[in-house]
Amino acid sequence: MTAGVHPGCSITGEKDGLLKHDCDTTGGSSGGPIIAWINQKPYIVALNNMEVKTRANGTPLFNLAVKISRIEQVLNGQ
């Protein structure tokens, strides 16, 4: 087993503390970090949550991740 990496993937949307992203994922990757380079430093900006697939044939559509700021709000009782 090795960590996954997908250089060049992107956050493609955001809603209610969830980020839509196009990074490659695999079974068991939930909870893995989504890392962004900000001012030439790596930051964990979200944790991978789930892959959304079509009902008809299970074709992957997109992935979701929980923003770190949303996790911090829950931990702080907000």
Side-chain angles (χ1 to χ4, degrees):
M1 297 288 180
T2 61
V5 64
H6 182 174
C9 67
S10 299
I11 303 297
T12 60
E14 178 181 351
K15 184 176 180 181
D16 299 328
L18 292 176
L19 298 177
K20 185 176 171 183
H21 66 91
D22 62 4
C23 302
D24 290 341
T25 60
T26 187
S29 66
S30 293
I34 303 294
I35 300 171
W37 286 88
I38 302 169
N39 295 325
Q40 300 180 345
K41 294 182 182 178
Y43 290 90
I44 298 173
V45 296
L47 298 179
N48 183 48
N49 184 309
M50 66 182 288
E51 180 178 56
V52 177
K53 300 178 181 183
T54 62
R55 286 187 189 207
N57 60 10
T59 301
L61 296 173
F62 56 87
N63 298 304
L64 293 175
V66 179
K67 287 178 66 174
I68 292 297
S69 60
R70 177 66 183 129
I71 294 169
E72 290 171 340
Q73 287 175 344
V74 171
L75 292 175
N76 292 323
Q78 298 175 356

